[in-house]
Amino acid sequence: MKFERFIARRYLFSGQNKALVSLITIISIAGVALGVMALIVVTSVMEGFDNTLQSQIIGANAHIEVVRRHAESPPITTGSLEQIRKIPGVKGAGPVIVRYALVQVPGEGNEMRQTVLRVHGLDLDVEDEITSIMDNVEGNERPGPDEIVIGSAAAEQALFVKPGDTVRLIIPQFANTPTGKMPLTSMATVAGKFTTGFVEFDGMYGYVSVRGAQNMFMAPEGQVDGLRIMVDNPEEMGRIAEQLRGMLGETVLVTTVMERNQNLFNVLVLEKWAMFIILLLIVLVAAFNIIGTLTMVVTDKTREIGILKSMGSTEGAILRIFRNQGLFIGGIGTAIGAALGLFTCYMLRYQIKIPQLKEAYMTDHVPVLVDPLMVILVIVCAMLICLLASLYPARQAAKLDPVEALRYE
């Protein structure tokens, strides 16, 4: 062990004010540990919630959507689906017919329960390759021609329906009747209710089969409102979207799920980094403790510093002694904080249950996601702050004049 490190360790726990210096040293270590622990736990929890939210959004939506660019653009047909499915990296592709509908359910007396749903007509044979909407359905996940599956939030909180109930759909699309133009009205049986965990989707969406949508909405055979594509690797969404734009021409609009929810994803990233910077202030507060500790050690060890210099120790050696003290405090505190942070993440992820999370995230455990790169960044930042905090006292100690230090001894 080099003498600088040996002396640095001894200085932290010895001297005339040994008890006080040792106590402040322990407080400094605890401050660094608390800051590192808080950073790791909070960033991991936020990463877990963000990842869960993104998974819910992406799971309820296709990776890529193709729609008409303008109302005057030619209608989209299913003829290009086979060509799209042959693109390398495409996992699945299917048509969709989308209409808004006012869904009504008669209540007691003259009461009428109703809500507006965005009803999707889906190809049920390929939908499980495109979204996860059919993965968690109470009832029948494959509705017949006159059936509908409704989001659980809409079914339970707005319409108060269950599988087997009948609802009326009023579509804002007019048809000629003997009494004049009337909005399209259709009766449908609730086949089931789905849960994606994405509350907005579960409260505003419903789906039927493509055949059911054609009957309800009087959609022409072979014409759809859009195409939806799922890719094997989400990182390839941009490349495949560009390929689709070149293939399908400028009459259609091709968008990815990241582009459609860009503001939300940007906010999530900004929120995570803002929280990281705010919690880093805890480590900065601990760094002030390090400055105070080392300043006290320098004052207490003035005579010893003078002796070392008179024996030939250079300013660089003295600086390294007190710098090593700061790194010792930072290293011990960071190691303890990282261990406690990872242990807390493990407990939150696997041991501690919060029943209130079950409804929103379909799990009663906190969705913790430990990012190794983030943990490394926290450790590096903590050590860098501790190093910088030790430089000022170390420089002051290195500049001491040995004659002045020993004059009154």
Side-chain angles (χ1 to χ4, degrees):
M1 178 184 294
K2 289 186 177 181
F3 88 96
E4 292 101 332
R5 282 181 285 178
F6 174 78
I7 294 175
R9 191 181 63 178
R10 289 293 299 267
Y11 275 6
L12 284 175
F13 299 99
S14 65
Q16 297 178 358
N17 301 307
K18 177 180 178 181
L20 180 60
V21 173
S22 299
L23 176 61
I24 297 177
T25 300
I26 293 172
I27 292 174
S28 300
I29 292 174
V32 174
L34 178 63
V36 171
M37 174 185 169
L39 272 168
I40 291 176
V41 172
V42 173
T43 55
S44 297
V45 170
M46 291 186 67
E47 186 72 24
F49 276 108
D50 292 351
N51 185 73
T52 301
L53 179 59
Q54 292 182 29
S55 299
Q56 290 172 346
I57 293 174
I58 294 175
N61 294 272
H63 284 162
I64 302 173
E65 287 189 1
V66 179
V67 297
R68 289 196 296 174
R69 184 174 293 275
H70 306 291
E72 298 79 15
S73 300
I76 297 176
T77 65
T78 57
S80 58
L81 281 174
E82 286 303 319
Q83 188 179 3
I84 292 174
R85 290 174 181 140
K86 294 178 182 178
I87 296 176
V90 171
K91 180 181 179 181
V96 63
I97 299 174
V98 183
R99 297 289 190 277
Y100 282 97
L102 178 64
V103 182
Q104 296 181 332
V105 180
E108 297 180 359
N110 295 325
E111 179 188 0
M112 183 68 71
R113 301 190 298 271
Q114 60 185 16
T115 189
V116 176
L117 294 182
R118 194 171 186 223
V119 182
H120 289 63
L122 308 175
D123 185 343
L124 303 179
D125 294 329
V126 299
E127 185 60 28
D128 56 350
E129 298 177 355
I130 302 172
T131 70
S132 60
I133 193 172
M134 298 172 61
D135 291 349
N136 190 16
V137 177
E138 179 185 338
N140 182 14
E141 72 275 8
R142 300 175 66 88
D146 297 317
E147 295 180 330
I148 184 173
V149 178
I150 299 175
S152 57
E156 297 169 1
Q157 301 173 19
L159 299 173
F160 301 99
V161 294
K162 60 185 182 300
D165 292 344
T166 301
V167 297
R168 178 189 294 113
L169 285 78
I170 302 175
I171 298 95
Q173 182 176 334
F174 294 89
N176 293 320
T177 67
T179 58
K181 289 189 175 182
M182 298 290 291
L184 293 178
T185 302
S186 179
M187 303 299 294
T189 301
V190 178
K193 51 183 180 181
F194 67 84
T195 302
T196 64
F198 186 30
V199 178
E200 181 180 351
F201 202 93
D202 294 343
M204 297 179 59
Y205 287 70
Y207 74 86
V208 297
S209 65
V210 169
R211 177 61 61 186
Q214 289 172 342
N215 295 338
M216 291 178 184
F217 311 142
M218 298 181 63
E221 185 77 24
Q223 293 186 11
V224 293
D225 294 329
L227 306 175
R228 302 189 303 161
I229 298 97
M230 180 65 73
V231 302
D232 291 316
N233 183 2
E235 295 182 0
E236 294 290 314
M237 277 191 287
R239 178 188 64 81
I240 295 175
E242 282 297 325
Q243 189 171 347
L244 288 171
R245 292 183 184 107
M247 176 192 301
L248 301 176
E250 298 182 355
T251 60
V252 299
L253 180 64
V254 181
T255 58
T256 66
V257 66
M258 302 299 291
E259 293 169 344
R260 296 192 299 273
N261 298 277
Q262 186 173 15
N263 290 337
L264 174 60
F265 292 139
N266 288 342
V267 167
L268 293 178
V269 173
L270 180 62
E271 181 184 38
K272 181 172 65 176
W273 284 107
M275 187 61 66
F276 176 85
I277 294 172
I278 291 171
L279 290 175
L280 200 62
L281 295 176
I282 299 177
V283 182
L284 286 174
V285 172
F288 283 103
N289 286 335
I290 293 175
I291 295 174
T293 301
L294 296 185
T295 301
M296 287 191 62
V297 173
V298 170
T299 303
D300 190 52
K301 300 296 183 181
T302 299
R303 175 176 175 272
E304 285 82 351
I305 294 171
I307 294 173
L308 287 173
K309 281 201 166 187
S310 65
M311 294 175 63
S313 295
T314 63
E315 288 188 2
I318 301 299
L319 186 145
R320 286 192 293 273
I321 288 173
F322 289 93
R323 183 198 64 191
N324 288 340
Q325 290 186 49
L327 290 177
F328 175 81
I329 294 173
I332 297 297
T334 300
I336 294 174
L340 290 176
L342 293 175
F343 176 74
T344 303
C345 289
Y346 170 81
M347 294 298 292
L348 290 173
R349 180 67 181 87
Y350 297 105
Q351 302 298 326
I352 299 176
K353 294 183 179 182
I354 303 178
Q356 291 82 356
L357 294 174
K358 189 76 173 180
E359 182 176 351
Y361 295 96
M362 293 185 291
T363 177
D364 52 6
H365 293 282
V366 178
V368 177
L369 179 61
V370 177
D371 184 354
L373 293 179
M374 183 60 70
V375 174
I376 293 173
L377 179 62
V378 170
I379 292 174
V380 170
C381 288
M383 291 300 298
L384 182 60
I385 290 173
C386 294
L387 173 62
L388 294 176
S390 66
L391 289 182
Y392 175 75
R395 287 181 182 275
Q396 294 300 110
K399 291 179 181 179
L400 279 178
D401 186 349
V403 176
E404 292 294 327
L406 296 173
R407 172 175 295 179
Y408 301 105
E409 297 299 331

